[in-house]
Amino acid sequence: MNLDATFAALADPTRRAILARLALGETSVTDLAKPFAMTMPAVSRHLKVLERAGLIARSREAQWRPCRIEPRALKAVDEWLNDYRRFYDESFDRLDVYLKKLQAGKSDTKAPHAKDKRHGGKK
Amino acid sequence: MNLDATFAALADPTRRAILARLALGETSVTDLAKPFAMTMPAVSRHLKVLERAGLIARSREAQWRPCRIEPRALKAVDEWLNDYRRFYDESFDRLDVYLKKLQAGKSDTKAPHAKDKRHGGKK
DNA sequence: CGGTTAAATAACGAGATGGTTAAATACCAG
DNA sequence: CTGGTATTTAACCATCTCGTTATTTAACCG
């Protein structure tokens, strides 16, 4: 939604680490704070930044406030990238065309020119 | 390469607008500055931020310093997103599996389960 | 109630950011 | 060398950011 806030939130390594942790599953603030050499208030504010950026959401469970990943902002970043993929993803055009053909119901017996790194990039 | 710098650079709307302009083609600093209600030094520094973030590159042509998009950092952002696509892109897993099969040299005569929005996402 | 735990808020300071104006640099053309 | 154009650098200022410590809110438990 608000790319300014989203990119700004993602610019901090602590916040990206928090997201990486949340990718493993919902958890509490204290638990999120453990790996970091900083006080709880600092983590608490990082979470607020992530929340206002649309990157996480928080619920309430007794005195805990479990956090989870919120897809909206991530999707917005991905969509913003759409206008630029052609600059770095050589397989973009070819693959796009190929998928469109498949969707049109036309089954192609020939595989696309081999190395389509996209999505497969485990590296 | 350095996601901190890259995301920070992308957090500014002026800088994203500059990138959008550069997506149309290489151009000069003065030309890039025209749409903005700010002085040249300000634009010049935005360009420096983009350059240090690996988002643009600059060459020299007489007294002009044409800028162009540099794919590295954009690709890094896209790759960072890989760990999170499953949260917002429902077709991710299915398509990934399908591409792996193709890369394995196995030509599938059956199209994947129809609606793969990815890449075709023209809205 | 009083005590404990989880988390947020307040107030503060060092350093980064984003703009300004004024001056410097780099190149081309007489 | 002189002048003109394109761009960067320097110095400065207001505001934001990220950390701190101290305090406060909220919910549970005996």
Side-chain angles (χ1 to χ4, degrees):
Chain A
M1 295 254 152
N2 178 7
L3 283 176
D4 280 30
T6 301
F7 280 125
L10 294 176
D12 187 279
T14 302
R15 288 192 289 260
R16 289 200 308 280
I18 288 173
L19 284 180
R21 169 63 190 82
L22 289 179
L24 305 176
E26 192 162 317
T27 192
S28 73
V29 177
T30 328
D31 197 38
L32 283 173
K34 269 173 197 153
F36 303 108
M38 73 181 65
T39 58
M40 283 285 292
V43 173
S44 184
R45 257 198 342 203
H46 279 306
L47 292 174
K48 175 159 283 184
V49 171
L50 287 167
E51 187 176 32
R52 308 193 71 207
L55 286 160
I56 69 168
R58 288 191 272 191
S59 34
R60 174 171 273 279
E61 238 168 84
Q63 66 256 229
W64 293 273
R65 254 147 277 196
C67 305
R68 64 180 180 284
I69 287 196
E70 167 71 46
R72 281 181 306 140
L74 287 165
K75 184 166 195 168
V77 170
D78 192 70
E79 278 164 2
W80 178 84
L81 272 176
N82 278 335
D83 292 338
Y84 302 94
R85 295 196 198 285
R86 62 190 166 97
F87 290 103
Y88 60 85
D89 194 346
E90 53 191 57
S91 76
F92 175 66
D93 288 331
R94 192 153 27 83
L95 181 57
D96 192 26
V97 165
Y98 182 65
L99 286 177
K100 280 216 196 85
K101 234 195 282 185
L102 285 175
Q103 286 179 60
K106 236 183 111 121
S107 187
D108 195 342
T109 51
K110 226 172 23 197
H113 300 138
K115 57 163 196 340
D116 281 302
K117 311 198 287 300
R118 187 128 239 292
H119 281 133
K122 228 76 195 192
K123 189 74 38 63
Chain B
M1 294 251 151
N2 177 7
L3 282 175
D4 280 29
T6 302
F7 280 126
L10 293 175
D12 187 280
T14 302
R15 289 193 288 261
R16 289 199 308 278
I18 287 173
L19 284 180
R21 168 63 191 80
L22 290 178
L24 304 176
E26 191 162 319
T27 192
S28 73
V29 178
T30 327
D31 197 38
L32 283 172
K34 269 172 196 152
F36 303 108
M38 72 181 68
T39 57
M40 283 285 293
V43 173
S44 184
R45 257 194 346 198
H46 280 305
L47 292 173
K48 174 158 284 185
V49 172
L50 288 167
E51 187 177 31
R52 307 195 72 209
L55 286 160
I56 69 168
R58 288 190 272 190
S59 33
R60 174 171 274 280
E61 238 169 85
Q63 65 257 230
W64 293 273
R65 254 146 276 197
C67 305
R68 65 179 179 284
I69 287 196
E70 167 69 46
R72 282 181 306 140
L74 287 166
K75 183 165 195 168
V77 170
D78 191 71
E79 278 163 2
W80 178 84
L81 272 175
N82 278 335
D83 292 337
Y84 302 94
R85 294 195 199 286
R86 61 191 166 98
F87 289 104
Y88 60 85
D89 193 346
E90 52 190 62
S91 75
F92 173 67
D93 287 332
R94 193 151 30 79
L95 181 56
D96 190 27
V97 166
Y98 181 67
L99 286 178
K100 281 218 197 85
K101 235 194 283 185
L102 284 177
Q103 285 180 61
K106 242 182 106 123
S107 186
D108 195 342
T109 50
K110 221 160 42 187
H113 299 138
K115 57 161 197 338
D116 281 301
K117 312 199 288 301
R118 188 127 242 288
H119 281 135
K122 229 69 187 196
K123 170 95 35 65

